[in-house]
Amino acid sequence: MAAALTSESGKQGRAATTVLSPNSSPQVDTPYSIYTRKEKWIIVAMVALAGFYSPLPANIYFPAIPTIAKAFHKSIDLINQTVTVYLVFQGISPMLWGPLSDRYGRRPVFLICLAILVGSSIGSALCPTSAFWLLLLLRCFQSGGSASTIALGAGVIGDLSTPEERGGFFGMFNLGPMLAPCIAPAIGGALSQGLGWRSIFWSIVIMVAACLLCVALFLPETLRSIAGNGSVRLPLHLRTVIPIVGKKTTPTSTLQEHSSGNEKRSVNPFPLFTYPDIVILLSFTGIVYAVNYTITATISSTFSSVYPSLSETILGLCYLPTGAGMIIGSTFTGKLLDWEYARLKSRSTEGDDRRANVTIEYARLRTMPTHLLIFVACVIGWGWSLHFNAHIAVPLILQVLLGWTSIAILNTTMTLNIDILHSRSSGATACTNLVRCSLAAVLVSVIERMESRLGLGWTYTFWAGICALLLPLMMVEIKIGPKWRRERELKEK
């Protein structure tokens, strides 16, 4: 029954593991999590807040690049190296922190990463203008501390959630990391213009310090190989200072009493790149993310060229439609994933063998062709609307749709990744982060040359075509992915 849907559902959010078989009734086991659904939402909100600070230091910095170049007496091209090193470490660092959290716990790694971000941001704010090398080094540490919060948050959701609710939780969680690139440039531009470029780093210090305090006081340890379903009595250094969740349940059991095979695994995530179904998901996520990130990163420069009458304040506001689309898309897609899973699960209990063998890959990816085709059409429309100097309302409306569909695709692939690699959720998300950041860095570095040679219309038509070629890969994942997954699970057993 490896191909059949597996769900964990329970009363008032206290989920119990249930395996759906076409010829038997569900058998309820021990509760999957002691936390109520409301308490899970509180935890997800905390890790979403931490995830917001993963892309924030990069995007809030963009508007201040010309000012920083003057302050350090360097060219803009040289200052752009601070962006390059940030992207490099944004891709690499989760490959360390994510797997470590899969072995030693989410809470301590969260605290270490946020503390590194606070310290490096203080150093950046105080950096002397005669030491450009120091700014480069501190940007590396900023990226190393901030980038991993996405992988850590995905790990927490994997620990807490059952497949029925995982889509909704990922929808909420991804709002943090995806909204930052949309609102951070406007904040950074206002701070740099009003208070100077150093105020950008001081604002990061204040915001992240508040988040660090929130995590230290309230976030419980959730790693199942350490905390089980939340009922395991933890050592003092892993306990919350103020337990605002799980208060109705007193931890009494030991991990051995609660163990369900969640052993600690190797911290090396690189073998995940040898799994063909995972490689397909990583390719899908990375390419779509890179194309959308490039559009978002070039909104200011492209609009200032196509619509030269726009002020810097208006250019900053032009990022907001993308954020609005992401808010709508994240909320809607999360509910859609949960609804689709529940609907297909209910069909699998009707006794029809054909319906019972619905796979998790099909349940998650069934709606993806629609999202992908809309995304492709919007990328083409974006390029040609700017090429022909269409009214500014046209690209702004397309930004809403691009934000909607891009986060829908990201939510779906990340949710499926956690479904497939549940016990290595942070490592799986770290691999996703490595691929998408690497592809985004490459695409951002070549997009200006492509636009100058091909024009805006043909440049984005080319990248839309690359995204359209992902559709056959999606079909392969749905049809053959379950076979690869079953073979891998048998080998691991």
Side-chain angles (χ1 to χ4, degrees), residues 158-204:
D159 298 333
L160 294 176
S161 62
T162 63
E164 293 97 331
E165 58 193 0
R166 194 166 293 150
F169 288 152
F170 261 109
M172 163 70 80
F173 169 70
N174 276 328
L175 275 180
M178 298 304 286
L179 276 179
C182 302
I183 64 176
I187 297 173
L191 287 172
S192 178
Q193 184 176 352
L195 299 174
W197 65 270
R198 295 183 188 274
S199 66
I200 290 177
F201 295 112
W202 285 122
S203 69
I204 295 174

Side-chain angles (χ1 to χ4, degrees), residues 1-6 275-278 357-362 416-417 419-421 477-478 480-492:
M1 286 308 302
L5 280 172
T6 301
Y275 303 159
D277 53 338
I278 301 302
N357 288 327
V358 173
T359 63
I360 190 67
E361 288 82 0
Y362 175 80
L416 180 56
N417 234 347
D419 289 328
I420 295 174
L421 298 168
E477 181 74 19
I478 292 174
I480 309 178
K483 176 185 175 183
W484 289 330
R485 172 169 54 83
R486 290 193 297 269
E487 291 174 351
R488 180 173 64 251
E489 290 171 350
L490 289 175
K491 287 182 181 179
E492 290 177 350

